[in-house]
Amino acid sequence: MSKCSGSPLAVVALCLSVSTPVVASDGTTTRYIVHFEDVLVEKAMADEAAPATMSRPSPSPSPSPSWHRGRLATGGEVMELTAAEADAVAASAGVVAVEEDRMVTPAGGIVDSLWRRQWYMHDPKVGIDATVAWVDTRGDGAVVAVLDTGITAHPEFDGQLLPGYDFITDAQGARDGDARDADPTDEGDWTEPGDCGSSRSEPSTWHGTHVAGIVVARAGNVQGIVGVAPEAKLVPVRVMGHCGGRLSDVADAIVWASGGEVAGIPSRPPVDVINLSLRLHGACGVAMRRAIEQARSRGTAVVAAAGNDSILASTVSPANCPGVISVAALNRDGGMAWYSNYGDGVTVAAPGGSLGQFGSDDIVSSVDAGARTRQRPIFKYYAGTSMAAPQVAGLVALMRSADPLIGVDEITTQLVDNARPLPGPCPKGCGAGLIDAGATVDAVVEDRVLPRPGT
Ligand SMILES: [Ca+2]
Ligand SMILES: [Ca+2]
């Protein structure tokens, strides 16, 4: 069957009228919408008995029978044509227009249903201005490690994850029946009364899944939220289980994620940034200090939550470790959140939620619905410096994507130099202010040294 035989009738009209010689092409076809003058369609309908006399626009002796793809409600015909055929058709009498049947994308690229609730990303006063940064990059090429409770299956992570690891040595705390292994799945951190020094039972938090969503949740998949760096990749590393995690496991996980050698575990290339939404009281100990020093020496930036104790950030680790980007939390009004740690130990601040009467003033992200074990993916509002830190980690991923050669010290400098004054009060100290993803990535792009190696 040629492109000019049989129905639809409008195509018949087209082929009767093609007169321009067709130039040979490479044969690659594209979808086009061909619009005809109404009169020609009518004529074709009247002349339906004449298909045997038709010529065809293609020089090919046996074009595909599937070249006609349908008819628009408004009358245009969708055809699969080579560029040469399309040119010939366009030049033909009776053809009003030939337009490519292009792919449309969501306006602004954001159709995710909870986007409007992600005030921390786009609120003109208290948001981090992520959409401005996305003009330059959405994180393509950058890799973030989240060292947390592990990860659960969620549509927001489809295609977003690289192989991670379970660093929890204690099988009982890990709840997976073994020590360290290659599966970073979160087995739940629910507690019974009397566990972990608490008299109450608590449901599983799926904390690592919430933190990970803030960094890399997929954009444009209709569902849920958008991460700060939706085109970056995430390495989920499990360091906390029932009642938390051991410092030794966290330190080893920092070394591994940053490309160092950990006995018995295959090493990986250094990630661009490690997020630590965890803390322990006291000075920065030797284990944590050494692990972070090593990570930084391999080019991995380290971001840590300042902690939710309403105390000096300099009294909790790893926020107080040298070289760490420590993040305080802001409430919905842009002042310091009541729970946030503060003071000299804070590098910058990011929205963490009000933790007040309205959940919608907190940070929405991905979690599992299970009260104890995994059930199904959902979204929930959480508040804390744990939610503020991954916004900074996501921004670091955008910076590395914009300039893969930017060093760890320059990353801190740019975050600090481009932070905005706080929209609300923080008399006890919130570092350089509210991170500004747009201004920071713009500055990184501007300061990028050109030409780049290999380009
Ligand atoms: Ca395990
Ligand atoms: Ca999404």
Side-chain angles (χ1 to χ4, degrees), residues 133-300:
W134 291 344
V135 173
D136 289 308
T137 174
R138 291 184 170 215
D140 184 39
V143 180
V144 182
V146 166
L147 277 52
D148 214 289
T149 62
I151 195 96
T152 59
H154 205 291
E156 293 293 11
F157 301 140
D158 287 351
Q160 307 293 79
L161 304 184
L162 296 176
Y165 216 86
D166 172 12
F167 269 85
I168 303 178
T169 308
D170 170 31
Q172 203 175 344
R175 286 182 159 150
D176 64 353
D178 60 22
R180 293 180 177 179
D181 67 86
D183 179 4
T185 302
D186 191 337
E187 302 292 346
D189 58 356
W190 80 92
T191 60
E192 312 277 4
D195 288 356
C196 323
S198 168
S199 58
R200 299 194 305 164
S201 66
E202 297 286 350
S204 290
T205 60
W206 314 112
H207 189 271
T209 295
H210 199 274
V211 169
I214 293 167
V215 184
V216 293
R218 289 182 64 192
N221 63 331
V222 182
Q223 290 217 33
I225 60 161
V226 184
V228 174
E231 289 178 9
K233 296 282 187 244
L234 187 120
V235 176
V237 186
R238 190 168 181 239
V239 296
M240 293 184 287
H242 183 230
C243 300
R246 291 281 175 193
L247 169 62
S248 53
D249 289 339
V250 176
D252 273 2
I254 291 171
V255 171
W256 177 77
S258 61
E261 299 281 340
V262 177
I265 300 176
S267 56
R268 57 149 297 117
V271 300
D272 293 296
V273 53
I274 290 172
N275 186 82
L276 299 167
S277 286
L278 49 87
R279 64 103 179 84
L280 60 148
H281 290 283
C284 180
V286 175
M288 193 75 93
R289 182 188 300 258
R290 283 185 178 164
I292 290 168
E293 272 172 10
Q294 275 197 27
R296 285 170 44 80
S297 74
R298 288 188 285 266
T300 299

